Amino acid sequence: AQTVTQSQPEMSVQEAETVTLSCTYDTSESDYYLFWYKQPPSRQMILVIRQEAYKQQNATENRFSVNFQKAAKSFSLKISDSQLGDAAMYFCAHRQTDAGGTSYGKLTFGQGTILTVHP
Amino acid sequence: NAGVTQTPKFQVLKTGQSMTLQCAQDMNHEYMSWYRQDPGMGLRLIHYSVGAGITDQGEVPNGYNVSRSTTEDFPLRLLSAAPSQTSVYFCASSYSPSTDTQYFGPGTRLTVL
């Protein structure tokens, strides 16, 4: 079964600085998708960035980028030039693509990391 | 384009009561799913559907029923509410179950007394 682990329950960063959130995962699949979702106090789940496992190039979205290490099963999120609006809970998630198994299309989430941004 | 909508936003039930959480999407997505979010545990899959008339169980299906009569709607039914079902419930949808990003509704906070 897939597992996703976020080892940092809480992180903090100064405004305009850079912070990296860690995520490791375990899967027997060779093809899969990885995601970072942001959950602000409004509790809405907002997609930050996604990575296809078959792509070697790391995904980037404006100030957000990932360091995807497939062999190490590591998927960290780097937030550059942090802003007050980045404060939220961040979830790393793995998406199952195997139609032959159970829970087809299931997202497996980590426990989340609370990010605080200090002005 | 409203995206994924959920009603109600908040609900309080007594143990043993039943209710239906509503979920609708207007993006013509084939894949829809229900998750629950509990403190310290991330989100866990309850049930999912790959199209109208097709549903299947996820990781934590006990105590919940679903049906999918249309592409747009995917209601979640609590048959006899228990305090262990106190949680925040999210509905999500995507075009494809395997290659596409899932988009989430705003969530329903349910408290069972």
Side-chain angles (χ1 to χ4, degrees), chain A residues 31-83:
Chain A
D31 190 21
Y32 48 87
Y33 291 77
L34 297 166
F35 302 86
W36 279 98
Y37 281 91
K38 170 185 177 181
Q39 187 178 44
S42 67
R43 79 167 178 247
Q44 178 74 50
M45 294 290 287
I46 302 166
L47 176 69
V48 174
I49 200 165
R50 93 176 209 165
Q51 174 79 45
E52 292 90 339
Y54 64 86
K55 289 186 178 179
Q56 293 188 341
Q57 187 174 6
N58 290 326
T60 62
E61 284 289 339
N62 301 315
R63 297 182 295 106
F64 299 88
S65 61
V66 299
N67 183 4
F68 174 48
Q69 301 290 327
K70 190 173 183 179
K73 295 183 179 175
S74 171
F75 183 60
S76 60
L77 175 70
K78 185 171 83 171
I79 306 174
S80 304
D81 186 24
S82 297
Q83 301 176 359

Side-chain angles (χ1 to χ4, degrees), chain B residues 44-59:
Chain B
R44 292 180 293 167
L45 181 66
I46 304 171
H47 285 285
Y48 66 98
S49 169
V50 298
I54 307 169
T55 65
D56 207 343
Q57 295 181 351
E59 185 181 355

